[in-house]
Amino acid sequence: MNANRKNTGTDWIDPDDAPELDDEFFERADEYRGDKLVRRGRPKADTVKQQVTLRLDPEIVESFKADGPGWQTRLNKALKVYLQEHNPHELS
C-alpha cells in the first residue's frame, strides 16, 4: 500500500501568479558572456595560502595590530623577509 508515502502534492500553480521580476532579482542573477559564466567577487589566486593555527606572544600581535587592518598580511611579509635572511634550520 501507499500509506507510508508522503504526499508530494500536485496542486496546479497558475504561471500568471508568479512574482514580478524586479531589479534585485537581476542583480543576483548569473551573467554569461557567450557560454562562459562570469564569476563575481575576487578571482581565485594562483597560489592559495594555507590556513594554520599559531600561538604568538601578545606583544607581537599587539604590535602588528596597532598599525591597523592588514596586520596578518604584514606579519606574513615579515616572516618572508626573515626566511630570506635566515636559515630556519639554524634555530634548533
Side-chain angles (χ1 to χ4, degrees):
M1 289 210 137
N2 294 333
N4 290 335
R5 287 193 175 176
K6 292 183 179 179
N7 182 4
T8 58
T10 57
D11 294 335
W12 169 255
I13 298 176
D14 188 352
D16 292 334
D17 290 340
E20 186 175 331
L21 301 180
D22 56 4
D23 290 338
E24 182 182 343
F25 172 83
F26 288 104
E27 287 174 9
R28 294 188 327 244
D30 291 335
E31 180 181 344
Y32 286 88
R33 292 203 180 123
D35 290 338
K36 185 177 180 185
L37 174 63
V38 177
R39 298 283 181 187
R40 295 185 183 153
R42 181 183 293 184
K44 290 187 178 181
D46 293 333
T47 55
V48 180
K49 293 184 179 180
Q50 183 177 358
Q51 183 176 356
V52 297
T53 300
L54 178 67
R55 293 186 177 273
L56 301 170
D57 292 334
E59 60 269 14
I60 293 173
V61 176
E62 289 170 11
S63 175
F64 278 90
K65 280 187 172 184
D67 290 335
W71 68 272
Q72 291 170 320
T73 302
R74 290 191 299 277
L75 180 57
N76 190 61
K77 282 184 179 180
L79 289 170
K80 280 185 180 183
V81 169
Y82 179 86
L83 285 177
Q84 290 171 352
E85 297 174 358
H86 300 86
N87 182 351
H89 302 291
E90 293 174 354
L91 297 176
S92 301

